[in-house]
Amino acid sequence: MRKITIATLTAIGLAAAYATPASAGVIDYAATNYTGGSCKHGLYTGNTGRGCNRRYSFQDGTTFSHDTDAQTATLTGTAINGAGQVATLDLNFSNFLETIDGTNFDYKNGGGNFNPATDTPDIDFFTSGSGTISIDGAIYTVNPNDPFAGNTTLQFGNGANDKNKKFGGSAWLNILNPHGHAVKHWDINFNLDKIASEVPEPGTLGLLGLAVGGLWAGTRRRKALAA
């Protein structure tokens, strides 16, 4: 039977200690509704629906994730309107920019254009988007050829929520209905709160340390008896 030496256990322990988590470059945020009231919402579906039923409230677990290595992002989760209809969001964003100049892309500011004199430098932008929003089995698709309305982008960061200027994000999405026809653009506006990363439990590494210590102590005892 092959013996497990102290060197082997130590090597395993060091490998575990220095292994880099696969998600090291991903920052997760909880995405919540931009406002309260009877029609609180994070998703607005344009002329698809009526009144408050066009306004969907983000539910717990809706997450905006920013991959700072690949410079991409996702918005995933669910939202519910007053009629109990459930919208499932699976959106992807890419083509990251740290700033825009108002020439090719406009800043989404209550319908106004980007103003370099007042732009918040902590806001970043994604100029490409894709994905789907499903409502009660009907699948609405972000237009792959023109994902954002009005030459805008998905903007996120400090002040990027178009409705309340808080740390968050917003976008006007060009949407195709289940038949592939364009409908009036939809809005997403949300506040963001960073989700604290969990501190890894010492379990495996601690057990390896105990094993190394036990093997070392056992070896010393055997040598003492042999002497």
Side-chain angles (χ1 to χ4, degrees), residues 79-226:
I80 300 177
N81 67 5
Q85 291 178 294
V86 178
T88 302
L89 296 91
D90 186 7
L91 304 176
N92 305 284
F93 305 99
S94 58
N95 288 354
F96 174 85
L97 291 178
E98 289 187 341
T99 185
I100 56 176
D101 60 9
T103 302
N104 297 315
F105 301 104
D106 291 330
Y107 179 60
K108 185 175 179 292
N109 185 14
N113 290 330
F114 173 81
N115 184 346
T118 59
D119 175 45
T120 304
D122 292 336
I123 295 178
D124 295 315
F125 308 87
F126 289 104
T127 63
S128 294
S130 62
T132 60
I133 300 176
S134 303
I135 300 177
D136 286 354
I139 299 176
Y140 296 84
T141 305
V142 175
N143 188 334
N145 299 316
D146 186 17
F148 303 110
N151 295 322
T152 57
T153 66
L154 171 81
Q155 58 194 43
F156 78 102
N158 186 26
N161 189 326
D162 180 46
K163 299 296 184 180
N164 58 18
K165 311 306 179 191
K166 290 185 177 181
F167 183 83
S170 58
W172 291 328
L173 300 175
N174 281 331
I175 295 292
L176 304 178
N177 68 16
H179 304 289
H181 301 144
V183 298
K184 184 180 179 180
H185 74 264
W186 293 10
D187 297 2
I188 49 174
N189 295 282
F190 45 86
N191 298 331
L192 292 175
D193 294 290
K194 187 175 180 179
I195 300 173
S197 300
E198 293 184 4
V199 178
E201 295 184 3
T204 302
L205 201 53
L207 290 174
L208 284 170
L210 289 173
V212 171
L215 184 57
W216 177 78
T219 300
R220 290 195 62 186
R221 283 194 299 269
R222 286 193 295 273
K223 287 184 177 179
L225 290 173

Side-chain angles (χ1 to χ4, degrees), residues 21-29 64-74 93-94 96-98 124 126 156 167 194:
S23 59
V26 177
I27 303 173
D28 293 324
Y29 301 90
F64 181 82
S65 298
H66 178 201
D67 188 327
T68 58
D69 293 333
Q71 289 296 13
T72 58
T74 60
F93 305 99
S94 58
F96 174 85
L97 291 178
E98 289 187 341
D124 295 315
F126 289 104
F156 78 102
F167 183 83
K194 187 175 180 179

